[in-house]
Amino acid sequence: MKAFVFPGQGAQFPGMGKALYEENSQAKALFEQANDILGFRITDIMFDGTAEELKQTKVTQPAIFLHSVVLAKTTPDFAPHMVAGHSLGEFSALVANGTLAFEDGLKLVYQRALAMQEACEINPSTMAAILGLADEKVEEICAGITDEIVVPANYNCPGQLVISGSNKGIEIACEKMKEAGAKRALPLPVGGAFHSPLMEPASEKLKKAIEATQFNTPICPVYQNVSTKAVSDVAEIKANLIAQLTAPVKWTQSVQNMVKDGATEFVECGPGKVLQGLVKKIHAEAEVSGV
């Protein structure tokens, strides 16, 4: 069975989508439609902007979504048996499996990006990647820091867990992780503590936007970050999407469940190859490729 997976923030690169725009008329029309919906030419930043300009959350999120969805829509015989997305990628996955219309997905992603950027400005915060330490140990250290907010945020693959929290909390946690034997405890160049309680203000805004958007019955199940299991029920998809901003991304568990349910081939649809690498680390026998 074939699973399509969609990347999240961090997969962006200058020039992303440019060849697609120039070589495919359907892609060009979708990119131009996105420029109209957003009210600014995001394609100018994607194709010719600097890495710094692309790194702003309000640009990064719609740019990655756009690149991923346009690839899915222009891939011949696009017929997934199941889909999943890493954080932001879940919105791309929901357009790919027909739950969301392209324009509705883009509007939601842009609202999510603005709300998250605003939440970051209210609470200066960050994230760090912890490498080479058991998940249980990372969870235990986070739970032991009680005077600051620090939580496990992204279960990327065995031995790679990203934590999220206040600047001070992350600093303390990184020291403790190294003491406990982590190979690396690496602060990440992100704008805030995504997938933590510090995203609550953004979650409230996104909830309103999601509840006002039309969701359709999908053509195949989505394995969501929050539940990690196959979901086709629209009400459940919405609830998981709202919870996702403050809950951890359980990518390891989602891929394991997809494999258990019959996925043998994983196709990454979007910029970069990050998810192909993670899938291989989670399930070495999986066949991985990108479009």
Side-chain angles (χ1 to χ4, degrees), residues 91-221:
F91 287 82
S92 312
L94 290 172
V95 174
N97 78 351
T99 306
L100 285 169
F102 169 69
E103 51 273 32
D104 289 337
L106 180 60
K107 284 174 190 167
L108 278 181
V109 164
Y110 192 50
Q111 284 169 299
R112 177 183 190 262
L114 292 175
M116 284 170 81
Q117 196 146 327
E118 207 174 291
C120 295
E121 284 157 16
I122 297 166
N123 292 307
S125 50
T126 192
M127 302 174 86
I130 310 303
L131 307 181
L133 206 56
D135 290 356
E136 296 73 22
K137 191 68 193 166
V138 176
E139 290 165 351
E140 185 191 310
I141 291 170
C142 288
I145 299 168
T146 51
D147 43 356
E148 292 286 340
I149 290 175
V150 190
V151 295
N154 296 349
Y155 291 78
N156 284 336
C157 65
Q160 189 192 121
L161 210 169
V162 174
I163 59 172
S164 190
S166 64
N167 290 339
K168 183 74 182 153
I170 293 293
E171 199 182 307
I172 296 165
C174 283
E175 282 310 310
K176 288 183 182 289
M177 301 288 177
K178 285 176 195 160
E179 283 164 20
K183 280 186 197 153
R184 297 184 80 178
L186 198 67
L188 298 175
V190 293
F194 305 144
H195 303 289
S196 83
L198 291 168
M199 283 293 119
E200 196 55 56
S203 191
E204 284 303 310
K205 286 189 172 172
L206 189 63
K207 183 178 183 206
K208 286 195 182 90
I210 285 171
E211 283 169 353
T213 302
Q214 167 76 36
F215 278 62
N216 310 303
T217 304
I219 56 165
C220 69

Side-chain angles (χ1 to χ4, degrees), residues 43-93:
T43 49
D44 291 353
I45 306 172
M46 289 169 70
F47 304 164
D48 304 307
T50 62
E52 202 52 44
E53 288 170 306
L54 263 179
K55 209 171 72 180
Q56 303 169 68
T57 294
K58 65 178 183 185
V59 174
T60 314
Q61 293 197 21
I64 292 170
F65 166 87
L66 198 47
H67 193 194
S68 304
V69 169
V70 172
L71 273 173
K73 287 190 172 291
T74 55
T75 295
D77 310 319
F78 181 79
H81 297 110
M82 52 182 87
V83 295
H86 191 288
S87 187
L88 157 75
E90 200 164 277
F91 287 82
S92 312

